[in-house]
Structure formats: structure tokens, C-alpha cells
Amino acid sequence: MASVVEYKGLKAGYHCGYCDSAAGKASCGMWAHSMTVQDYQDLIDRGWRRSGRYVYKPVMNQTCCPQYTIRCRSLQFQPSKSHKKVLKKMLKFLAKGEISKGNCEDEPMEPSMEDAVAGDMALINKLDLQCDLKKLGDNLKESLEREVKKKGKSTKKEESNEFIQSQDKNEELGSGEPSHAVDVHTAPKPGKGADLSKPPCRKAKEIRKERKRLKLMQQSPAGGPEGFQAPREPKTKPNQPKSLEELIFESLPEDASHKLEVRLVPVSFEDPEFKSSLSQSFSLYVKYQMAIHQDPPEECGKTEFTGFLCTSPLEPENPPNGPDCGYGSFHQQYWLDGKIIAVGVIDILPYCVSSVYLYYDPDYSFLSLGVYSALREIAFTRQLHEKASQLSYYYMGFYIHSCPKMRYKGHYRPSDLLCPETYVWVPIEQCLPSLENSKYCRFNQDPEAADEGRSRDPDRLQVLYKKAILPYGVFKQQQREPGEEAAVLQYASLVGQACSERMLLFRS
């Protein structure tokens, strides 16, 4: 099934939840009626982000608070002292029921509705952004599948070979993304202070030991489809720092006070686990939104909950070389003594685990569940990498340097920010000095560098019009709508050439 999108264009001059500007936000958006995981991966690597089925991209040089896509290199991640404190606090609570006193200095993973989704959801409602294509009916789906198969037959073999070659090259280079992006990484410069240079590169011996530990995790008998229950692991040698997995999955006494289980549930109303836990999950969401964000009850109803967190355009995929759970959208439920205390909404994509949102029971705020869930998600990413070698990054949404409460995402090192002009990844330590001087920055220091994935031939963009798929070059000859060409060219420039040729742009 191909991705089907409906471009809605630029929306500017609406409220910003970060700086409280009444009309400072600017973003471009589109409805995604369906989307492949590869298309969404490529879109978030161009600065896009989803809220339910609405996929949006901040206009970085216009919006009041520029939002830079941030990813953590999970395979090299080492927990900081404050991260270790959170993990120890959880273990003490589970083992003995101890509750730590005092305020936790760590920010929750999503302290405000992720990436100003509140503003974007309000925008969807207030600016009357209805879909012209109401539903992908069965007849339309069938005709699309036939068209796509017809088009794909000639190139399928070629693409398959390219994918295999790309994967082989990635394994050889030790990268978690397509080979064309491998040379994007520049090593963090030394001598910038202790915090900026952490963590150092690990030796091959340490990486091999890490893989052994991850295998032990997968052999654990309980914990859902990806083996989340804490395994009994051997102790580390003296003077060797404990790995993230050892800190999370440290053995508990037989008479532990509490039992924590993390379950991975696909976002699907056809899934029995998802359906059976939906009522409890919704009640938790309402409690969280009202207590943490002071939302009135009418703003956190079932419609908002399902539209924002239980609806995804991503088509589930389960290829043989992918993770056991497959790709798509999931809820990671944290069950404490038989009840849900937190839910992390995540997308599992070809090269990453992407964090969408977290909501939790405010009664358990003392456990710093935002930080704890982020560390669990990083460990989960590393675990998935064992089966799917290209999947190695943890995407944390947007980093907003101009908003101090959102800078905590930069504490999960090593991490990279996406250059808003050339869409290459740059280590965060190289970006921070520029961000101190200016809200909006081009991180790529090469003045000659351009966006390699830019739209070069808009006529090859694929249009879905009256149940037929045709190139934009053919479609535009039939259209005389004012502003039509400008909107299509804007869409093409934002999604890039590859996505414009794969995704179907719906036109009515």
C-alpha cells in the first residue's frame, strides 16, 4: 500500500506553547490517510513530525521557537549520573517500596504536550482543516494496490538489490542508517569541557560484551513480544561501569515489594491487548492531562485521546529482516502491580524508535517516569538493533534551545541535531555555540553544501486524482486552479524528491 497524503499548506500566526507568543508559530502540514514506515522515516529525517494522522513541519526560519529534530545514538549511549540516580530510585522502590524524598531535577520526557501538539491539534480544529478525501474505501485501496503493483514490478528487483547492497554496506560501516548518510557524522571536537565530550567511543571488546548482554535480555521468558522482563544477569567485573541494561534489569529479591512489567502493544483496535486495556489507558491520560497540564475535562475527551494517541497513519509491516514486533505504532505500557502507571507512545521505524508522547499517573511522579521511560526506550532500541541491524537510533522529537525547559533532551548523549537546510546530522556539541547566538541556525558548516534529497523534478511527483495515479507533469496539464502549482511545488520542496515520487498526493 502506498502512502496517501493531502497537503494543507502553510499555517502561520497561531499560539506557541513554548514562549506563549499569541501568534508566533508557523508550520506546514498534511493529512496522512496512510503512510509506509519508510516514507515516515524519510520525512522525519527532513524535519517532519506526526500528531495522530496530521504530519507537520515547522517553518524553521519563521516560527518563534525553532524546533530541531534530535536523535540519540543509542548504541554509544552511556547513562549520566542523574540517569543512574533515576534507575536506582526505581530499583529501591520495586525492591523495598522506598520512596525518595525531595524534588527530582530531571525533566520528564515530554513536559508539555509534545512539540506543541496542543497548538497543532487546536489548529486542526479551529482552522477547519477537514480532509477532502474522507476515507480510503476498499475499492480505492484495491485500485491503488493494483496501480502500485503495476508500477512497482519493473523497479522491484532493482530496488531490492539496492536495499541489500545498502544494508551490507551499513553493516560493514557500522551505521544505523542508509549508506548515503554515513559520512554526515563528524566526531565531536575534544577540549570543549567534560559534559560536551561525553560519552567517549567504546572499544570493540566493550561492544561485543554489550551484544552478549542484549542476547541475555532476549532470552528472558517474560515481558511481552520483545522480552521486556528483567533477566538475571551476571555481575560485572570490578572497576567496569555497569551498562544501561544492567542498571535497568538488576535482579530483585524474591520478596520484592512491587512488580513492574513493560508490555509492547500495537496501536490497533483489532488487537485484543490494546482493546482490553484501552479504558484504563484513557483514564490515565485524562488524569495526567488534568493534573500535569491543567487541561479542563472537555479538552481531554475520548475523541482527543483516540485522535492524538490511538490513531496512526503508519501501515504495520513485518519483514523477515525486521524486529520480531514489526514496524508501526505502539503503546509501551508500564504495569505496576497489575495496573498501568505510564504509557509511552512510540513509532518503530526502519532506522529508529521515535518517541511520540508519554503520559503517566501523577501519583508516581516521584519515580521520574519521564526520564525512566526514555532510558527504557533507549535500551529497547538497542535490543531491536540485535535483530534489525539498521535500527540503531532513538528519536526524541524536537529540541528547542530557545525554550530552557526543552533543553533536557540534549542530556541524552551522544546525540545529533538535524540541519534545517541540508538535512544532515550534526553532533549537538557542535550546534550549541551557534544556538547560543541565534534561535535559527544552519548547522552544516560547508557553505557549498545543499539539500541532496531536494526536489529536482516536480513533474515526476505522484498524484492521486479520481482514483487514478498519474505524474504531476500530466496532471498539471488538466488543471487551471489558481495557486495549485505553487502548493504542489511547496509540498515537493518539503518532502523531497524520493518521497514525492513514492507518496500519492491526493487532489480533488
Side-chain angles (χ1 to χ4, degrees), residues 276-491:
S276 65
S277 59
L278 192 61
S279 175
Q280 194 182 157
S281 188
F282 170 60
S283 299
L284 179 65
Y285 165 79
V286 174
K287 186 177 182 181
Y288 172 80
Q289 293 297 133
M290 290 176 68
I292 305 296
H293 301 299
Q294 286 80 51
D295 283 359
E298 62 271 17
E299 283 183 22
C300 38
K302 203 84 178 241
T303 306
E304 287 77 13
F305 173 65
T306 53
F308 174 35
L309 299 172
C310 302
T311 307
S312 170
L314 299 185
E315 297 289 337
E317 291 180 31
N318 211 329
N321 61 342
D324 293 337
C325 59
Y327 299 118
S329 299
F330 297 84
H331 280 191
Q332 217 167 45
Q333 301 172 339
Y334 293 76
W335 290 77
L336 181 72
D337 302 332
K339 74 167 187 172
I340 303 175
I341 62 160
V343 178
V345 184
I346 60 172
D347 292 328
I348 300 177
L349 303 172
Y351 310 129
C352 73
V353 168
S354 173
S355 173
V356 177
Y357 198 60
L358 172 81
Y359 54 100
Y360 58 84
D361 190 332
D363 296 344
Y364 293 90
S365 292
F366 63 89
L367 289 173
S368 306
L369 290 168
V371 177
Y372 182 77
S373 66
L375 297 171
R376 289 292 298 241
E377 286 171 8
I378 291 170
F380 182 49
T381 306
R382 285 151 68 132
Q383 191 176 341
L384 295 179
H385 171 77
E386 286 298 296
K387 179 75 195 294
S389 61
Q390 287 192 319
L391 199 165
S392 62
Y393 294 101
Y394 175 56
Y395 283 47
M396 296 174 278
F398 289 135
Y399 175 81
I400 304 160
H401 193 77
S402 57
C403 178
K405 71 179 180 181
M406 295 302 289
R407 291 186 186 180
Y408 71 93
K409 292 186 181 186
H411 300 158
Y412 295 82
R413 299 284 179 93
S415 56
D416 309 303
L417 298 183
L418 187 68
C419 175
E421 293 181 13
T422 61
Y423 303 112
V424 298
W425 294 99
V426 180
I428 193 170
E429 38 288 276
Q430 291 181 22
C431 306
L432 294 177
S434 304
L435 288 170
E436 285 296 325
N437 296 324
S438 171
K439 281 184 182 182
Y440 173 74
C441 300
R442 171 194 166 106
F443 300 135
N444 192 326
Q445 297 301 302
D446 179 1
E448 302 297 314
D451 169 15
E452 291 296 324
R454 67 188 177 277
S455 172
R456 299 168 190 267
D457 188 357
D459 282 358
R460 292 176 63 184
L461 179 150
Q462 297 296 293
V463 173
L464 173 62
Y465 180 62
K466 292 184 177 176
K467 295 189 181 181
I469 300 170
L470 58 160
Y472 178 65
V474 175
F475 172 77
K476 71 179 180 182
Q477 293 169 10
Q478 308 169 13
Q479 288 297 306
R480 296 290 178 268
E481 288 277 330
E484 171 76 24
E485 187 170 17
V488 172
L489 292 178
Q490 184 183 62
Y491 160 81

Side-chain angles (χ1 to χ4, degrees), residues 26-324:
S27 68
C28 293
M30 58 188 173
W31 286 110
H33 296 279
S34 70
M35 186 164 283
T36 67
V37 289
Q38 186 61 61
D39 285 342
Y40 187 55
Q41 175 73 65
D42 290 351
L43 286 174
I44 62 173
D45 284 338
R46 291 184 65 82
W48 291 80
R49 189 97 177 123
R50 80 172 183 89
S51 166
R53 289 183 178 275
Y54 185 65
V55 187
Y56 64 100
K57 183 183 189 324
V59 182
M60 298 290 277
N61 57 358
Q62 286 182 37
T63 195
C64 53
C65 296
Q67 296 154 266
Y68 299 92
T69 303
I70 183 169
R71 71 177 188 185
C72 170
R73 283 174 256 153
S74 72
L75 302 186
Q76 289 83 39
F77 174 78
Q78 292 287 353
S80 66
K81 278 186 181 177
S82 64
H83 295 150
K84 288 176 184 175
K85 278 182 188 174
V86 170
L87 295 175
K88 284 175 184 171
K89 182 165 57 175
M90 176 62 85
L91 285 170
K92 281 182 182 177
F93 173 72
L94 294 176
K96 302 174 185 175
E98 282 184 24
I99 296 174
S100 302
K101 289 179 182 176
N103 295 327
C104 179
E105 59 195 31
D106 299 288
E107 292 282 355
M109 193 58 205
E110 305 304 348
S112 60
M113 192 170 277
E114 167 63 335
D115 309 328
V117 159
D120 290 324
M121 292 306 282
L123 178 76
I124 293 166
N125 296 331
K126 289 174 187 171
L127 296 187
D128 199 28
L129 291 182
Q130 279 102 10
C131 305
D132 295 315
L133 175 59
K134 295 295 179 193
K135 195 178 177 186
L136 276 177
D138 291 337
N139 291 343
L140 179 54
K141 277 186 182 178
E142 282 172 25
S143 63
L144 284 180
E145 282 167 9
R146 277 199 302 273
E147 289 261 13
V148 170
K149 277 179 188 171
K150 212 186 297 174
K151 281 175 169 289
K153 263 185 183 176
S154 59
T155 55
K156 197 171 184 182
K157 194 172 179 184
E158 189 184 328
E159 283 174 0
S160 174
N161 288 340
E162 278 176 15
F163 176 77
I164 291 162
Q165 285 165 12
S166 165
Q167 190 177 18
D168 291 343
K169 194 171 180 185
N170 286 328
E171 285 173 7
E172 191 179 307
L173 293 167
S175 167
E177 59 180 13
S179 53
H180 64 77
V182 167
D183 57 0
V184 163
H185 272 306
T186 31
K189 288 177 184 173
K192 296 280 183 182
D195 285 338
L196 295 183
S197 60
K198 283 183 182 177
C201 291
R202 296 187 302 164
K203 291 179 183 175
K205 189 177 175 183
E206 285 178 43
I207 292 167
R208 284 198 299 274
K209 283 182 179 176
E210 196 69 59
R211 284 184 176 166
K212 270 191 179 178
R213 281 192 287 270
L214 289 168
K215 277 179 186 170
L216 277 172
M217 283 170 60
Q218 286 178 316
Q219 287 160 11
S220 172
E226 287 294 328
F228 252 89
Q229 195 69 10
R232 308 264 176 188
E233 292 199 13
K235 302 251 180 190
T236 22
K237 290 177 184 175
N239 304 323
Q240 186 182 329
K242 285 185 176 180
S243 70
L244 175 62
E245 287 74 21
E246 286 173 314
L247 290 165
I248 291 173
F249 298 113
E250 195 167 299
S251 297
L252 293 171
E254 293 294 323
D255 60 345
S257 299
H258 300 284
K259 182 190 175 186
L260 179 69
E261 187 187 354
V262 182
R263 298 179 193 169
L264 187 69
V265 180
V267 173
S268 167
F269 289 98
E270 292 171 13
D271 182 82
E273 264 196 277
F274 183 78
K275 278 204 308 187
S276 65
S277 59
L278 192 61
S279 175
Q280 194 182 157
S281 188
F282 170 60
S283 299
L284 179 65
Y285 165 79
V286 174
K287 186 177 182 181
Y288 172 80
Q289 293 297 133
M290 290 176 68
I292 305 296
H293 301 299
Q294 286 80 51
D295 283 359
E298 62 271 17
E299 283 183 22
C300 38
K302 203 84 178 241
T303 306
E304 287 77 13
F305 173 65
T306 53
F308 174 35
L309 299 172
C310 302
T311 307
S312 170
L314 299 185
E315 297 289 337
E317 291 180 31
N318 211 329
N321 61 342
D324 293 337

